[in-house]
Amino acid sequence: MQGVVNALNRNIKNLRPGKALEVGCGTGRWLNLFDPGEVKIYGLDYSKGMLLEASKLKIAGLIRGDANALPFKNNLFDLTYCVNAIHHFNDDEKFILDSKKYLQHGGALIIIGLDHHEELMDWYIYDYFNGTCEFDKLRFSSFTLLKKKMLEAGYSNINIEIIDRVDITRLGTEIFSDPFLEKDQSSQLAALSQEEYTCGIDKMRAAIKNNPLQEFRVRFSVKMMKGFAS
């Protein structure tokens, strides 16, 4: 996801935040882009295990907490962002509304992720594992809706751009080398019962038996939305 790296680096350079918060920081992959000598960094996540991994980066500002109950003072941050995380929050509208309180005037909120309501999105998982597409459409808000929620929260100068694209086609048995096909490596498959997961794998094997060069495609865009607290 080099496009995500490039987009965050560009915004760090342009916004020059003094204090930055990542909500849903996970193992701290994106926190590591900041220079701790220039930016006071905070990372919040609900998972103890994720934060334990992130602690190996020697980042002082790691906090276990809920995205819908942020434990900070108002007007604290210059930048708040989340990467591939907002769909895990219980209430994305409340998060957007609350995040504005914790930003200084002119501070930025950045949301990076996938738009599962986009017509061009194509993922073989949806073709072979029943209910996964419907599951994602229920829990992922479209970026159009997220923008509406940001406007209603009082953000201004909101912009949406595509920062990365993925277009991969694997043929036949090559698909079984895809790490995201493992049950515990994607939230879509992790939510399935073992029986449902096995049924999907069996469908894939049957398709390959029928056509050894069966195509399994992954095609989607990664979007970034940025707005400013006024």
Side-chain angles (χ1 to χ4, degrees):
M1 300 186 72
Q2 187 60 42
V4 176
V5 174
N6 294 343
L8 285 174
N9 279 334
R10 184 177 76 244
N11 278 282
I12 292 167
K13 180 180 178 180
N14 293 340
L15 298 172
R16 299 177 64 84
K19 293 181 180 177
L21 166 68
E22 180 179 2
V23 182
C25 67
T27 59
R29 176 181 181 182
W30 312 111
L31 292 172
N32 209 28
L33 298 177
F34 291 87
D35 182 347
E38 296 183 0
V39 185
K40 190 166 184 180
I41 312 162
Y42 295 82
L44 179 139
D45 203 280
Y46 193 74
S47 167
K48 289 182 180 179
M50 291 286 190
L51 290 174
L52 183 62
E53 286 298 310
S55 68
K56 296 176 183 178
L57 300 174
K58 308 300 181 184
I59 294 170
L62 295 177
I63 301 166
R64 183 169 184 260
D66 189 328
N68 290 133
L70 297 174
F72 302 108
K73 296 179 180 178
N74 290 357
N75 308 312
L76 182 61
F77 300 106
D78 306 295
L79 170 64
T80 296
Y81 69 100
C82 56
V83 181
N84 294 329
I86 195 168
H87 59 284
H88 290 298
F89 305 166
N90 288 331
D91 188 337
D92 58 19
E93 185 171 7
K94 185 177 187 302
F95 165 72
I96 289 171
L97 187 64
D98 287 350
S99 65
K100 188 170 179 289
K101 295 189 302 186
Y102 303 113
L103 284 170
Q104 295 190 30
H105 179 80
L109 171 64
I110 292 176
I111 298 171
I112 295 175
L114 307 180
D115 190 339
H116 287 263
H117 299 263
E118 186 180 68
E119 289 184 7
L120 293 177
M121 187 162 185
D122 187 10
W123 192 17
Y124 71 88
I125 292 288
Y126 295 153
D127 299 327
Y128 293 93
F129 296 88
N130 292 341
T132 50
C133 183
E134 294 77 10
F135 175 62
D136 277 351
K137 287 185 176 180
L138 281 173
R139 65 197 186 111
F140 281 82
S141 292
S142 70
F143 268 66
T144 299
L145 180 56
L146 289 174
K147 181 178 181 179
K148 180 175 181 290
K149 292 176 180 180
M150 284 185 70
L151 284 167
E152 291 172 348
Y155 283 92
S156 60
N157 298 322
I158 301 169
N159 178 62
I160 299 173
E161 61 178 298
I162 293 173
I163 59 173
D164 212 343
R165 296 183 189 273
V166 175
D167 193 342
I168 301 170
T169 300
R170 291 182 172 89
L171 302 179
T173 56
E174 290 176 356
I175 192 57
F176 297 113
S177 66
D178 182 0
F180 289 103
L181 185 55
E182 296 178 23
K183 191 176 187 306
D184 61 352
Q185 293 301 306
S186 69
S187 56
Q188 292 81 6
L189 298 182
L192 299 177
S193 68
Q194 186 60 47
E195 182 180 2
E196 290 169 329
Y197 174 72
T198 300
C199 181
I201 293 293
D202 289 344
K203 288 180 184 178
M204 294 173 67
R205 294 191 186 281
I208 294 169
K209 184 177 180 180
N210 184 58
N211 176 13
L213 295 179
Q214 175 69 37
E215 292 188 353
F216 297 92
R217 191 167 189 182
V218 182
R219 181 177 63 167
F220 57 80
S221 300
V222 181
K223 293 182 178 179
M224 180 180 75
M225 180 163 56
K226 178 172 60 178
F228 294 88
S230 54

